[in-house]
Amino acid sequence: MRVVVAGSSGLIGTALVAHLRGTGHEVLRLVRRTPAAPDERGWDPPAGTLQDGTLDGVDAVVNLNGAGLADRPWSGARKQLIRDSRNVPTDVLAHAVARHEVPVLVSGSAVGYYGDTGDQVVDETAPSGNGFLADVCRDWEAAAAPARDAGARVVCVRTGLVLSPSGGLLGAMRPLFRGFLGGRVGKGTQYMPWVSLDDQISALRFAVETAALSGPANLTGPVPVTNAEFTRELGAALGRPTPFVVPAPVVSTVLGEMGRETLLSGQRAVPKALLDAGFEFRHHTVSDALSAAVGT
């Protein structure tokens, strides 16, 4: 297949491009500058433009755009950037997919769509929840509607916490745990819907290739765990005790709304749509995923 990837320079995008090429697909990368390589095509999301011919003969578009959610507190300007960095590129790509009759659009979303679900198991049939992240995800997915309305198969991948050997969540947590400062956050009962980087990338390719998969799809590991369970498993993988507790009031005071929604809330999300479509996970438990990510 000929696949266009937007957001190809990030942690997930870089791995996805390599994986798609390794499995025989041709990949074109969208860049927001003058293209400098044969596989690059230019685009300007705020202006709503794509380089001429970018979608000619393309079989699928993968949209991975979006500013980081938890790398800094949510000021008003930061919240607007989080929204715009998702909605604007998605809208541009969805309309382009519709105009050029591209058959498939795989577009990003997140399990934050469900809000804080406590210990309730949620699959893709669950309604959207409350909070800033839920609002962002609803609008993000709605921006892909023009492609679906034009007849494209649209998959909105509601991604969880990606466990990578480099960067991402573990990039921030590993130094603390190695320094004997690991511990749960608050009561530790909030769920952490993890997924290994290997399964994240394989599932994105599966979404590109598999006609049986459409609509929302939770891209999370099969067995979600609480923050306390995740903390214990990461400590075990690194050979470190995890005696500490970060009190919830401290998180709320220091990080505000961002801390409450990303650290003190969670989703017990399960990947029903992927499993029903026949996807096979490589890492079934958080222990497996963490062992692979930290090299144990």
Side-chain angles (χ1 to χ4, degrees):
M1 299 173 68
R2 194 177 209 205
V3 183
V4 167
V5 177
S8 63
S9 62
L11 176 70
I12 294 172
T14 300
L16 178 63
V17 169
H19 180 72
L20 289 173
R21 287 175 173 161
T23 53
H25 299 301
E26 177 188 359
V27 180
L28 300 175
R29 298 180 294 124
L30 292 185
V31 296
R32 304 188 193 201
R33 52 171 170 73
T34 302
D39 68 333
E40 295 182 346
R41 299 293 184 272
W43 75 319
D44 184 348
T49 59
L50 283 168
Q51 181 179 329
D52 289 344
T54 294
L55 297 186
D56 291 350
V58 167
D59 300 296
V61 172
V62 180
N63 170 31
L64 300 175
N65 288 282
L69 291 173
D71 49 358
R72 65 193 69 181
W74 291 346
S75 65
R78 184 64 185 177
K79 289 170 77 171
Q80 192 60 52
L81 175 63
I82 287 171
R83 289 181 180 277
D84 291 347
S85 67
R86 288 160 172 77
N87 297 344
V88 173
T90 301
D91 180 75
V92 171
L93 289 174
H95 279 96
V97 163
R99 286 195 307 272
H100 292 272
E101 300 182 345
V102 177
V104 179
L105 171 63
V106 177
S107 192
S109 185
V111 290
Y113 175 91
Y114 304 108
D116 184 12
T117 65
D119 63 359
Q120 178 185 359
V121 177
V122 290
D123 63 23
E124 294 82 2
T125 63
S128 182
N130 300 314
F132 173 67
L133 291 181
D135 291 344
V136 167
C137 291
R138 277 195 302 271
D139 292 344
W140 194 3
E141 294 185 16
R148 183 191 64 237
D149 295 343
R153 179 173 63 85
V154 176
V155 183
C156 290
V157 286
R158 295 173 180 166
T159 299
L161 302 167
V162 181
L163 305 182
S164 166
S166 60
L169 176 68
L170 292 183
M173 295 182 71
R174 194 175 339 192
L176 294 174
F177 277 65
R178 287 196 185 279
F180 296 90
L181 296 175
R184 74 172 195 268
V185 179
K187 292 182 179 180
T189 56
Q190 66 274 30
Y191 272 81
M192 297 181 64
W194 60 274
V195 64
S196 72
L197 180 63
D198 283 347
D199 283 330
Q200 170 82 15
I201 300 307
S202 295
L204 287 170
R205 176 170 65 88
F206 183 85
V208 166
E209 297 174 343
T210 306
L213 185 65
S214 65
N218 291 343
L219 214 174
T220 61
V223 185
V225 296
T226 65
N227 173 264
E229 292 169 326
F230 183 91
T231 298
R232 183 174 61 251
E233 293 292 347
L234 179 55
L238 294 172
R240 297 291 191 273
T242 55
F244 296 102
V245 176
V246 182
V250 172
V251 173
S252 185
T253 299
V254 174
L255 299 177
E257 183 183 12
M258 186 270 283
R260 290 190 293 273
E261 288 209 26
T262 63
L263 296 177
L264 299 177
S265 302
Q267 302 79 29
R268 195 177 181 179
V270 294
K272 185 176 186 299
L274 277 170
L275 293 172
D276 287 350
F279 181 72
E280 296 183 1
F281 283 86
R282 179 177 180 184
H283 299 116
H284 289 263
T285 68
V286 73
S287 177
D288 293 340
L290 287 172
S291 293
V294 303
T296 59

